[in-house]
Amino acid sequence: MAGGNAIRGTRVGAGPMGESERGESAPRRRVSYWCANGHESRPSFAVEAEIPENWDCPRCGLPAGRDEQAPPAPPRNEPYKTHLAYVKERRSDADGEAILEEALMKLRKQREEP
């Protein structure tokens, strides 16, 4: 007998019993969702489960809704902002000049001290 693996050619979870081993599956229903690109996805839900209003499209990732004629709008992507852009939103040019002047005064004072 050649050395080898005794379970060669089988996969994990494979067995002769199949569905009866796991029990009966819950009754299901399919629900259609459409994204802004016109893709339809039809996930299945248990009959007793609450059906969500929105679902992520598996093809493009956009949000999908149950109304084919009015799918949800794609989310608006904010452009990347630098730290300086955020600072400029919070401070005026006059504030920036005052802060700069204060920092320069501190540096000059430190240089004068022995």
Side-chain angles (χ1 to χ4, degrees):
M1 177 174 130
N5 193 342
I7 59 171
R8 182 183 218 173
T10 64
R11 58 176 206 253
V12 175
M17 299 189 118
E19 188 66 32
S20 63
E21 184 179 292
R22 288 181 269 153
E24 296 292 322
S25 60
R28 301 204 168 265
R29 66 176 161 175
R30 289 196 164 279
V31 179
S32 292
Y33 291 91
W34 289 271
C35 71
N37 289 334
H39 302 137
E40 180 186 12
S41 54
R42 297 192 63 212
S44 64
F45 297 95
V47 172
E48 310 88 36
E50 184 177 330
I51 306 300
E53 287 300 313
N54 292 324
W55 193 260
D56 289 339
C57 177
R59 289 180 65 189
C60 63
L62 292 176
R66 294 171 62 187
D67 184 2
E68 183 177 8
Q69 303 306 316
R76 190 170 157 244
N77 289 336
E78 294 290 327
Y80 175 76
K81 287 186 184 179
T82 63
H83 176 69
L84 181 59
Y86 283 111
V87 171
K88 286 182 176 182
E89 283 181 1
R90 293 190 316 263
R91 308 235 190 247
S92 67
D93 288 341
D95 290 340
E97 290 291 330
I99 292 170
L100 177 62
E101 189 58 40
E102 182 181 329
L104 289 173
M105 284 177 41
K106 281 183 183 178
L107 285 174
R108 289 178 187 133
K109 192 174 185 181
Q110 286 177 353
R111 282 187 178 174
E112 291 175 1
E113 292 177 0

